[in-house]
Amino acid sequence: MLGLSEGDARTLTAPEHPADSDEATCTGYRLYDIAADGTRTEVDGSPFSGTTCDYVHGTTRRALVWQWNMPEETVEATGTALEDGAALQAALDAHKYAKISVGPGDYRLSGRAFHIRNAVLLRGTASDPYLTKMQVATSTGYEYAVVVSNALAKVENLLFSNLRSMNGKSAGAVRLWAGTVDHCIASNSANVVSGYLNVPGGGFCMEGGTVRNSLAIDCQHGRAEGGGFGLRKAGCLVENCRAIRCNSEGYDSARGGGIAAFAGTVRNCLVANCRSQASGFGIYLGGSVTVENCTVVDCTTKKSAGGSGIEIASGAATVRNTIAWGNKNVNGISDIALNSVRGIVEACDSVPQFDVRLGNVSTDPGFTDPASGDYTIGFSACVDGGVYQGWMNSICDLAGGNRVKGPEPDMGCYERDVSDELNCSFVYETSGGVDSGEISLVATVDGAKGKPVYNWYAIGQDGTTNATLRGEE
């Protein structure tokens, strides 16, 4: 607490719940020690019961988190899709603060979206999100499946599918003004209105809030930007997500086949096999946006003579620790285009290569099996080639593993798994005035299944590669 010295004591009382709901009752609190790097460790005895905390200020920073009960309601698919959809919307409106569990099934509203205005946790109970579908039943009217407008709301483990807007109104799977969407799927959703509409996002249209651990697949925005994801305002965060086979085609300046961002942050995301009419086949950046540890691969355009997989079009956009590889326009490979004087490309792997002083490279990342969609990286300059960021202590890579496994983070959305690597080192020392020489080494692995993959590295005494290698291994 600010203004306290060591040994000062205070009695802290639970505040009113942010949702201002009579359904929320404080059940106690958790207490954490905070290390210098921001890591939290729960103190012995936590959690504690009661609505007051006797706090004594010490030398270690601490965080107190009040705990609240959450009333629960379950909605099951028992009637027609429209009847079940009406029951679900009634549950969403009935509680200011609650957990609403949704059983497998098809939930629909006729001509309008599901609205989440209260501080609810809406969660599909099936292990597979594809089993619990929310969608609009008709092709007229307001065409989002779900509109989230409460900052405390959270939507988890659901599918939003088969949405089309044909009436000039904005559309997509989710319109997010605030709150969080986690482990959800937007599939086969589109905005194909007849007039130009500058509301980005065919799958997830974001005015604020967070989307994490989610997938946009086969989504489209035919008249603006962002086939999979669209970020319009500061504070938007897309984290550990995938945009696969999304597109922004049908209008001459439609950009950002996978993601279009005008503000916010895109982090640990895979954008693959996306298309756009104009530039930014994978990601289009038109403002103060940060893209970190993303992999943008095999994205294309059909009609634009120029353009790139990632376009930094305007504003102070930064692309960092990112692999952009195999993205093509009609003239050939073009992975990143830096068209803003305030844009920054740092520690990235792409064609063309950018400023090497910022750690940029242009080398094959050695994807494990790109034909099958496996874009984990092999041994290349991308390994340990990234720049450490503070968020990496608490955020996993796209596969759910540690974001940093070596001395530095890797480029791209996946951190290379080094658990099965055997590193051996040899020292060749000269004597008797001999300052150079040759030594032959042979790699032999006993008991291995399959052919081992190995690399030789020649490192001179001063730490540089002034020693040389000869031979094919």
Side-chain angles (χ1 to χ4, degrees):
M1 299 178 64
L2 295 177
L4 294 184
S5 301
E6 185 177 355
D8 288 349
R10 295 288 188 276
T11 297
L12 306 177
T13 302
E16 294 293 327
H17 190 270
D20 190 26
S21 170
D22 294 337
E23 296 176 293
T25 304
C26 181
T27 58
Y29 60 92
R30 294 182 181 270
L31 198 59
Y32 300 87
D33 286 329
I34 305 177
D37 64 358
T39 303
R40 291 188 177 193
T41 303
E42 194 162 5
V43 305
D44 292 341
S46 180
F48 303 96
S49 61
T51 58
T52 61
C53 170
D54 293 325
Y55 175 78
V56 179
H57 195 63
T59 58
T60 303
R61 293 173 57 208
R62 284 192 163 180
L64 183 151
V65 180
W66 295 104
Q67 304 290 296
W68 307 84
N69 74 321
M70 178 173 275
E72 297 187 20
E73 180 173 346
T74 299
V75 177
E76 299 285 356
T78 58
T80 67
L82 288 175
E83 291 171 341
D84 295 334
L88 177 53
Q89 184 63 63
L92 293 171
D93 292 337
H95 303 279
K96 284 189 175 181
Y97 177 72
K99 174 183 175 182
I100 300 175
S101 299
V102 187
D106 188 355
Y107 299 82
R108 304 189 184 198
L109 292 180
S110 179
R112 63 189 180 97
F114 290 93
H115 280 264
I116 301 178
R117 305 177 180 91
N118 297 323
V120 299
L121 168 58
L122 177 63
R123 175 182 292 167
T125 59
S127 58
D128 186 347
Y130 277 101
L131 298 177
T132 310
K133 182 190 298 185
M134 297 175 66
Q135 64 182 60
V136 178
T138 66
S139 60
T140 60
Y142 200 58
E143 295 292 339
Y144 290 100
V146 175
V147 178
V148 185
S149 56
N150 191 298
L152 299 178
K154 190 171 184 179
V155 181
E156 294 182 348
N157 209 42
L158 295 169
L159 168 68
F160 314 106
S161 183
N162 300 323
L163 307 173
R164 292 290 186 271
S165 173
M166 303 294 293
N167 62 352
K169 294 185 178 181
S170 53
V174 178
R175 186 72 177 271
L176 191 64
W177 294 90
T180 301
V181 175
D182 196 355
H183 286 93
C184 288
I185 299 170
S187 173
N188 195 26
S189 300
N191 186 329
V192 288
V193 298
S194 57
Y196 180 75
L197 183 63
N198 190 23
V199 181
F204 298 89
C205 177
M206 301 176 65
E207 306 282 349
T210 297
V211 180
R212 58 168 54 98
N213 305 312
S214 294
L215 167 66
I217 184 167
D218 296 321
C219 294
Q220 177 189 7
H221 201 314
R223 307 299 293 182
E225 297 96 358
F229 298 81
L231 294 73
R232 291 193 70 189
K233 297 181 180 178
C236 293
L237 173 62
V238 176
E239 186 173 74
N240 291 61
C241 291
R242 292 174 292 158
I244 309 296
R245 298 195 306 268
C246 297
N247 75 82
S248 54
E249 295 178 324
Y251 190 80
D252 289 343
S253 61
R255 302 161 293 196
I259 299 173
F262 299 88
T265 300
V266 180
R267 178 183 296 154
N268 280 346
C269 291
L270 172 65
V271 180
N273 302 113
C274 294
R275 310 184 310 274
S276 70
Q277 191 85 355
S279 192
F281 325 140
I283 299 179
Y284 174 84
L285 305 176
S288 296
V289 188
T290 300
V291 174
E292 297 177 307
N293 286 92
C294 290
T295 300
V296 181
V297 290
D298 298 332
C299 297
T300 61
T301 182
K302 292 182 178 179
K303 297 184 178 180
S304 175
S308 298
I310 301 175
E311 181 181 1
I312 304 175
S314 61
T318 296
V319 180
R320 178 184 296 118
N321 297 350
T322 289
I323 299 172
W325 200 256
N327 303 287
K328 299 179 182 179
N329 59 34
V330 294
N331 295 321
I333 296 294
S334 182
D335 290 315
I336 300 179
L338 179 55
N339 296 323
S340 172
V341 295
R342 294 188 292 160
I344 297 173
V345 179
E346 179 185 20
C348 291
D349 183 15
S350 67
V351 176
Q353 180 177 356
F354 288 83
D355 192 344
V356 296
R357 294 170 298 179
L358 296 179
N360 295 298
V361 299
S362 184
T363 183
D364 188 339
F367 294 129
T368 301
D369 189 1
S372 300
D374 185 351
Y375 295 102
T376 54
I377 61 174
F379 197 92
S380 69
C382 298
V383 177
D384 297 333
V387 178
Y388 177 80
Q389 305 296 307
W391 55 265
M392 294 176 175
N393 288 331
S394 57
I395 304 299
C396 297
D397 73 349
L398 190 57
N402 292 338
R403 182 60 268 191
V404 182
K405 295 179 180 177
E408 298 293 340
D410 297 344
M411 298 179 187
C413 58
Y414 295 107
E415 195 79 3
R416 179 173 169 80
D417 186 2
V418 297
S419 61
D420 59 351
E421 292 183 354
L422 175 64
N423 296 311
C424 301
S425 61
F426 304 87
V427 178
Y428 177 57
E429 297 181 351
T430 60
S431 62
V434 179
D435 58 3
S436 64
E438 295 186 2
I439 186 171
S440 297
L441 302 174
V442 178
T444 302
V445 180
D446 186 22
K449 294 182 178 180
K451 184 178 179 180
V453 177
Y454 57 91
N455 298 273
W456 294 117
Y457 299 93
I459 308 298
Q461 189 174 15
D462 61 354
T464 65
T465 55
N466 59 5
T468 58
L469 287 174
R470 290 193 303 176
E472 302 198 358
E473 303 297 347

